[in-house]
Amino acid sequence: MRKRMRFMRQIFVLCGLFAVLFSYAMFQGGFVSWFLFYSFLPFGLYSLAIAIYPFHRASVRRMIYQRRYHAGDSLTATVEVRFPFWFPFVAMAIGENHVSTLNVAQTKATIPFIWKKTFSYTYQLRELPRGEHVFTAIRLTATDFFGLVEKDSVYLLEETIIVYPRYIDMSYRKVRHYFEQGIAASSFLLHRDMTMAVGVREYAPGDRFSLVHWKASARKQQLMTKEFEERQRDDLVIVLDRTPTPLFEELVMFAASFLRATIQHGVKTGLVSVGGDRAIFPARNGEPHLQQLFYHLAKVICDSQEPFARVISNEKAYWPSTVAFCYITSYLSEEVALALSKVPGCGNKEAVFLIKEDLTREERHSLEILRRKGVHVAIISPRNMTTLRKGRDG
């Protein structure tokens, strides 16, 4: 109704100008008055043609060239418009009418002097945020020379894209390194069969010197150490803290990195994500399971109103005692430390990844509580999480 009222108002203004100029020419007479009328006539007729042009019959389609994105990627799309018949448009504004959670200003442009029946416009959205984004419609707006008439039309073209979280390209050796840099060295993820060497690799700082493979070292002219077969000991479950925090994107990125590293290594890994919704993924491995976890992490938000300590206490009751837990959080409260320290044998079954730059006094006190219980804590600075890749195989 509002659109129809605006159309009628524009026609009324246009007809009123015609009437005023014609009346002025008839009553005033002379060259000047008729010159004004005839000079306005082609522009007025063009405006009238814009007003009655059947925009609703135009054919519009959107082409998005890629379907899988990770946070920080750029999206390129092309909008193709085919008019029902040729018309010389002096200017045409085109753009997305609405895209949830995205900046639609980047999709809009005004194209001058369209003289073709079919034209296309390509735009780019940079630095895509993680999440599910819905493209709903495209709006075309045409105007005349003086802006007297503005004709627009909206074309419903709904499409959805999923922007997955970015991840650190983390090897499983790097996962073990995080534990070794924590309060205590951890062995609950894997243990080695020291009776069977399955290969050799370059010696790295921290490797045991007694495991150096001297024959391979002499052959390659550099120190080489033995690689032993690693056997899974227990299933692993990652618990993501979804309480509101400015570091939530870093938490999600690290969770995605950790899940990818463990599952691709063959470790059965699950995920507990409790906030406004409760998502529980059993400990499994394989690419389909990883894709399911990444899909959840693409849409997850920090909307939990429940303290993380209570989430830990509630969720652990649903899992068997053989499961090992990793907690990813940006704040280590005393309540969380006490909830972890009450678990029998927690030192062998619990680990905390604290994504934090500087520790508060309470967090240092919580670390002391966990140190006495032997709980493994790795403190990771967000500034060090810089080795990123887009991840086409996440």
Side-chain angles (χ1 to χ4, degrees):
M1 178 62 70
R2 183 179 301 175
K3 185 176 180 180
R4 183 177 180 83
M5 290 295 296
R6 190 183 67 172
F7 173 74
M8 296 301 296
R9 183 169 62 251
Q10 290 176 346
I11 293 296
F12 177 78
V13 170
L14 190 61
C15 293
L17 285 173
F18 272 117
V20 168
L21 289 174
F22 181 75
S23 300
Y24 176 71
M26 287 292 294
F27 288 102
Q28 182 68 23
F31 173 80
V32 174
S33 57
W34 283 108
F35 176 80
L36 288 175
F37 174 76
Y38 285 114
S39 297
F40 177 75
L41 189 61
F43 296 101
L45 292 176
Y46 179 84
S47 301
L48 184 62
I50 289 286
I52 64 176
Y53 188 86
F55 261 77
H56 61 280
R57 291 172 52 190
S59 174
V60 179
R61 66 171 180 159
R62 180 198 303 110
M63 293 169 285
I64 298 177
Y65 300 105
Q66 187 179 321
R67 290 297 171 182
R68 186 178 180 85
Y69 297 91
H70 287 258
D73 285 353
S74 296
L75 177 149
T76 301
T78 297
V79 178
E80 185 180 88
V81 181
R82 182 183 295 272
F83 295 111
F85 53 85
W86 179 84
F87 187 86
F89 293 100
V90 66
M92 178 78 66
I94 184 172
E96 297 288 344
N97 191 46
H98 175 72
V99 185
S100 61
T101 69
L102 292 180
N103 182 10
V104 295
Q106 297 181 31
T107 73
K108 296 180 179 179
T110 299
I111 305 174
F113 304 112
I114 298 177
W115 307 103
K116 298 180 179 180
K117 185 178 177 180
T118 302
F119 80 98
S120 61
Y121 163 65
T122 299
Y123 66 84
Q124 188 176 62
L125 289 171
R126 298 181 177 87
E127 296 293 325
L128 290 174
R130 178 184 58 85
E132 184 179 50
H133 309 296
V134 181
F135 295 75
T136 56
I138 292 173
R139 179 185 293 271
L140 294 180
T141 304
T143 186
D144 59 3
F145 289 94
F146 302 116
L148 297 174
V149 173
E150 187 177 85
K151 184 73 174 290
D152 64 356
S153 186
V154 176
Y155 304 88
L156 298 178
L157 297 170
E158 186 168 314
E159 289 187 77
T160 302
I161 65 167
I162 302 294
V163 180
Y164 294 94
R166 298 199 78 160
Y167 59 80
I168 303 170
D169 191 16
M170 184 190 302
S171 66
Y172 200 71
R173 188 181 304 169
K174 183 68 173 177
V175 172
R176 292 200 303 270
H177 171 75
Y178 278 128
F179 283 96
E180 292 164 1
Q181 297 303 311
I183 290 176
S186 175
S187 60
F188 77 88
L189 288 177
L190 297 172
H191 64 91
R192 292 183 175 184
D193 183 357
M194 303 300 289
T195 65
M196 183 182 297
V198 296
V200 294
R201 60 172 173 80
E202 293 183 12
Y203 180 86
D207 290 339
R208 292 169 57 183
F209 198 70
S210 61
L211 299 181
V212 171
H213 195 294
W214 295 108
K215 290 184 179 180
S217 300
R219 186 168 58 251
K220 293 183 175 290
Q221 298 297 310
Q222 60 178 337
L223 282 179
M224 305 295 291
T225 186
K226 299 174 185 178
E227 281 271 56
F228 293 93
E229 183 179 9
E230 295 177 332
R231 304 197 308 262
Q232 287 181 229
R233 176 177 170 183
D234 293 305
D235 292 344
L236 175 64
V237 173
I238 294 176
V239 184
L240 178 63
D241 184 2
R242 287 174 55 181
T243 53
T245 170
L247 292 173
F248 188 68
E249 290 303 316
E250 284 77 5
L251 297 184
V252 172
M253 182 174 67
F254 188 82
S257 307
F258 196 95
L259 286 165
R260 179 176 178 270
T262 56
I263 291 176
Q264 289 190 344
H265 192 76
V267 179
K268 291 184 178 181
T269 310
L271 176 66
V272 174
S273 172
V274 178
D277 61 331
R278 180 176 179 269
I280 308 297
F281 299 90
R284 297 173 182 167
N285 54 23
E287 190 65 23
H289 180 56
L290 181 60
Q291 295 298 326
Q292 186 182 24
L293 295 176
F294 262 63
Y295 181 77
H296 172 74
L297 292 178
K299 301 193 298 181
V300 70
I301 57 176
C302 52
D303 59 350
S304 178
Q305 301 300 317
E306 189 175 4
F308 191 45
R310 187 179 303 169
V311 171
I312 293 173
S313 301
N314 293 341
E315 296 303 326
K316 283 184 63 65
Y318 296 97
W319 295 87
S321 59
T322 57
V323 171
F325 285 87
C326 287
Y327 305 95
I328 300 177
T329 182
S330 64
Y331 180 66
L332 187 60
S333 66
E334 185 175 351
E335 289 77 9
V336 170
L338 293 175
L340 292 175
S341 62
K342 291 177 182 178
V343 180
C346 59
N348 294 325
K349 294 294 181 181
E350 310 286 331
V352 177
F353 289 103
L354 181 60
I355 313 297
K356 196 67 179 288
E357 196 65 53
D358 298 310
L359 302 185
T360 64
R361 179 178 299 179
E362 182 185 6
E363 288 173 328
R364 296 184 185 279
H365 177 64
S366 301
L367 284 177
E368 289 297 327
I369 296 175
L370 295 177
R371 178 180 290 114
R372 290 194 294 269
K373 284 290 184 176
V375 177
H376 312 283
V377 179
I379 303 172
I380 302 169
S381 169
R383 290 186 299 181
N384 294 335
M385 298 169 63
T386 55
T387 309
L388 305 179
R389 57 174 292 186
K390 295 178 180 178
R392 302 304 177 193
D393 57 346

